[in-house]
Amino acid sequence: MPSPAGAAEQVARQAIDAARWAPSVLNTQPWWFGLHGARISLHEDIERRMPVADPTGREAVISCGAALLTLRVALCRLGRTPEVDLLPDPDRPALLADVSPGRPCRSEEDTDRMYEQIRLRRSHRGGFRAPLGPPDLPDRLRVEARQEGAVLLLVADSHTRDALAALTQAAEHVQRLDPRYVAEAALRSYGPPGPAGPENVEPYFPGRGRSAVPGTGTAELGTVALVVTEGDARADWLRAGQALQRVLLRAAVAGVSAAFHTQPLEVPELREFVRTRFCAGRYPQVLLRLGVADRPPPGTRRPAEEVVAPEP
């Protein structure tokens, strides 16, 4: 029978194994986890950052925030209260959080349902079979985002939807004019892309790194949404990532998937336009669409031995 310390370390390893399945931009998985006994440290893997599209590391840190929320959910499911210290060392900016399995706790049914979706949840491409889902889901998703210090804006106005679609198309064209961006997207997208699905939604939102030309099928647009924060520092990016993953897991419990459109938030002038025109001065961190879709096949993740390293 393992010692209490050994049992705690086993819980930590199980939580890391779940966190590997968090979403990340272009499936770059820009994280690694240090392990010291039962204490987990979450680091940004700088080598997996996209320096052309994401020079400040904003999207990489958001992705790591999603992994952090996944760690927390997994620890709760495994019967331990997560104790989190965000950005614990100013001299080590790539160290994003220290997480320890705290006191024993009883996992709630709500947490169990979210935990079950960690490996089942998949990012979607293209249109949806049906819009958002249960009538009470939008309010529930807003609450989930607020729990993490972010705001989920669900876009109901057709003019705003059209404008965001046009900005996404413009950003896609601008980025594809830069050969460095095209090469980076090809080299730094890890794992096979999921099936495209029908693309002819109205208004048209091009998928990341694909030609901004609609396909031939027809499908539901879904609900356009923005995750926004009051500030735009690394702590805010971490909050946005945690809010995003909480929203995605809650949506997945209800059978709802997400399609991501990062392009306009990677062009500084367009991101500023979105901030001032559509976010009431708050900072847009993620642009996505939500709806009901057929779940694609399982994605790919780096094995645990590639993302875990012992720490002193």
Side-chain angles (χ1 to χ4, degrees), residues 76-125:
C76 287
R77 174 63 179 81
L78 295 166
R80 303 299 289 265
T81 302
E83 298 176 352
V84 180
D85 185 9
L86 285 183
L87 301 171
D89 188 347
D91 294 328
R92 301 171 65 193
L95 172 58
L96 301 177
D98 279 329
V99 185
S100 298
R103 68 184 188 279
C105 66
R106 184 175 180 177
S107 180
E108 301 290 337
E109 182 179 353
D110 208 40
T111 300
D112 294 348
R113 289 175 178 172
M114 293 178 71
Y115 178 82
E116 290 169 359
Q117 295 301 320
I118 289 173
R119 289 173 174 79
L120 298 177
R121 184 214 61 81
R122 300 285 181 269
S123 299
H124 180 66
R125 296 190 179 208

